[in-house]
Amino acid sequence: MSRADFFDGLRGGSAIALASAPFGALFGALAVDNGMSLAEVTFMSATVYAGASQMVGIELFGHDVQAWLIVASILAVNFRHVLYSAAIAPYIKHFSPLQKFFTFFLLVDPQFAETVKRGEAGKPVTFVWYLGFGIIIYVPWVFVSLLGGMLGSYIGDPKSIGLDILLPAYFLGIVLDFRHRDNFLPVAAVSAVASVIAYHYVGSPWHVSLGAAAGIVLAALFPPPPHEQELESDLHEV
């Protein structure tokens, strides 16, 4: 069963690995263009392992910005991972502390989305499945970012061939996976509008967290879906 779950995770994550490869190559190319060495590129991908915040980091590294501001900016982008970890907590409560350490290290956007969908579908979220899904994305990400750093000079300006649109299109696809949820449209719309406003008046990367916070506030104002109301009623009766 464990081996079957592991290979199931590998199969599920392989498509994500292919889809994220251009982002890794783009990061490597941009990082070297901003003065990072190949060793630094590989080390950052292996330790930070968060595409959007890695992009933010290299943009700030290339300017005269204080270290605390770089750390704060990356934390602003990655704040959503606090919400991710809370959302998957019911599905990984049986993991050991060591397993949870690796779980949260590998917790990127597609990993979160697939974990929630698997849990909501009633399938077991085992650690070996989670690990298989995560490893098949993590290892190619590190390798491809190094490859992008080595061959980035042959790409030229990524914007000239439209690579800059890949990241927002990728995140949009993840968001649309949840379009069948209750109140999806108003929550997504408010998050998008708030993020655009924050981008113009506060700036990047804070608009990411501020847009998410606006969507969370609106979602909290809506009444729970009928099935959750029934579950809460059953708990009160018990």
Side-chain angles (χ1 to χ4, degrees):
M1 176 60 71
S2 295
R3 181 179 296 181
D5 283 353
F6 183 74
F7 283 105
D8 188 29
L10 289 178
R11 285 191 295 270
S14 59
I16 306 298
L18 291 174
S20 62
F23 308 141
L26 177 59
F27 163 73
L30 292 176
V32 170
D33 189 57
N34 278 271
M36 294 182 70
S37 67
L38 292 177
E40 290 170 336
V41 169
T42 306
F43 183 74
M44 188 174 186
S45 284
T47 55
V48 178
Y49 184 47
S53 58
Q54 287 180 227
M55 296 290 189
V56 170
I58 60 174
E59 288 296 326
L60 296 177
F61 290 153
H63 299 82
D64 187 17
V65 178
Q66 295 182 2
W68 71 268
L69 184 58
I70 297 177
V71 173
S73 299
I74 291 177
L75 285 175
V77 175
N78 280 350
F79 179 77
R80 68 189 188 279
H81 289 263
V82 176
L83 307 177
Y84 288 173
S85 60
I88 69 170
Y91 307 119
I92 64 167
K93 58 185 178 182
H94 57 287
F95 288 8
S96 70
L98 182 60
Q99 289 174 338
K100 288 180 180 179
F101 171 83
F102 288 106
T103 294
F104 294 131
F105 176 76
L106 294 172
L107 184 58
V108 290
D109 301 283
Q111 187 93 32
F112 158 74
E114 290 301 321
T115 301
V116 171
K117 287 194 291 184
R118 186 178 179 89
E120 290 181 343
K123 298 179 181 179
V125 179
T126 62
F127 178 69
V128 289
W129 170 83
Y130 191 100
L131 187 64
F133 193 97
I135 284 178
I136 198 64
I137 303 173
Y138 172 74
V139 174
W141 172 265
V142 177
F143 174 74
V144 171
S145 63
L146 172 61
L147 196 62
M150 295 171 60
L151 304 177
S153 59
Y154 297 100
I155 299 176
D157 183 7
K159 294 182 179 179
S160 65
I161 55 177
L163 286 180
D164 57 318
I165 198 63
L166 289 176
L167 192 61
Y170 167 72
F171 279 112
L172 181 60
I174 291 178
V175 172
L176 289 177
D177 275 341
F178 295 92
R179 63 188 180 277
H180 300 299
R181 285 194 165 198
D182 296 318
N183 305 319
F184 168 82
L185 187 58
V187 171
V190 166
S191 294
V193 171
S195 181
V196 171
I197 294 174
Y199 180 81
H200 285 284
Y201 291 98
V202 181
S204 177
W206 303 98
H207 68 293
V208 176
S209 295
L210 292 175
I216 292 170
V217 170
L218 179 62
L221 295 175
F222 283 117
H227 65 279
E228 291 187 8
Q229 291 179 351
E230 294 175 1
L231 178 60
E232 184 177 352
S233 177
D234 293 340
L235 290 175
H236 284 309
E237 291 179 1
V238 173

